[in-house]
Amino acid sequence: MRLMPYRPRALLLTLLALPVLSAAPVLAAEAAPAAAPAAAGHRHEHSAAEIGRFLTSFYGVHGPTGYYREYRVSQVLKDKQTGSPDADVLLCAQNAPQDVGIGPVTVARSAGVGWATVTTHWAAGATDTFTAYVRLDSLPIRLDDVICAG
């Protein structure tokens, strides 16, 4: 006993029951759903410009807001932060910087990731840099990882 009906058999019976001239629309209607999954399978990948705008907004002037920290950060980074309570893993620091700058974004489609160098500016003219990574297929766009320079 089969739990699934035979679709080809049902189609054949439908075709046999219809006049010869109306068989073409039935075949066309049967072929249409097969094309839909291909269109639905297309996924958006973030461009370098989108990633740059996101990182600029994410880091702002003095670092990410509570909203960004909660909703626009990967679970990997949340786990890193939990494991490092004395440091801010999103800024590779312990304090809020005076200013944050985002460098040019590089996109590696084959790796599915984009990244940029983030420069933090501190008192007395000191600066620090780290690399921020974004997955190209993240929806909504979110910070995936941060690698500190030192």
Side-chain angles (χ1 to χ4, degrees):
M1 175 197 263
R2 296 217 184 247
L3 298 176
M4 300 292 288
Y6 285 107
R7 188 172 182 95
R9 186 180 299 168
L11 179 60
L12 180 61
L13 291 175
T14 303
L15 290 176
L16 291 175
L18 296 173
V20 174
L21 295 176
S22 66
V26 171
L27 290 176
E30 204 50 42
H42 177 72
R43 62 181 185 168
H44 174 77
E45 288 190 342
H46 305 297
S47 67
E50 289 173 314
I51 293 170
R53 284 190 301 272
F54 167 71
L55 290 174
T56 300
S57 177
F58 182 89
Y59 281 104
V61 176
H62 302 292
T65 64
Y67 174 83
Y68 279 115
R69 290 174 183 278
E70 179 66 26
Y71 297 106
R72 293 300 184 94
V73 173
S74 70
Q75 189 61 46
V76 169
L77 281 172
K78 288 179 182 180
D79 292 345
K80 273 187 180 181
Q81 186 61 64
T82 300
S84 302
D86 296 334
D88 186 345
V89 299
L90 301 181
L91 289 166
C92 296
Q94 293 180 337
N95 304 318
Q98 292 180 341
D99 192 24
V100 179
I102 307 298
V105 175
T106 302
V107 171
R109 297 246 178 254
S110 60
V113 70
W115 66 89
T117 299
V118 178
T119 303
T120 51
H121 301 271
W122 304 92
T127 61
D128 198 7
T129 61
F130 57 90
T131 307
Y133 294 88
V134 174
R135 286 177 47 110
L136 298 182
D137 62 352
S138 60
L139 286 176
I141 190 169
R142 67 176 51 98
L143 190 64
D144 191 54
D145 201 3
V146 171
I147 304 298
C148 301

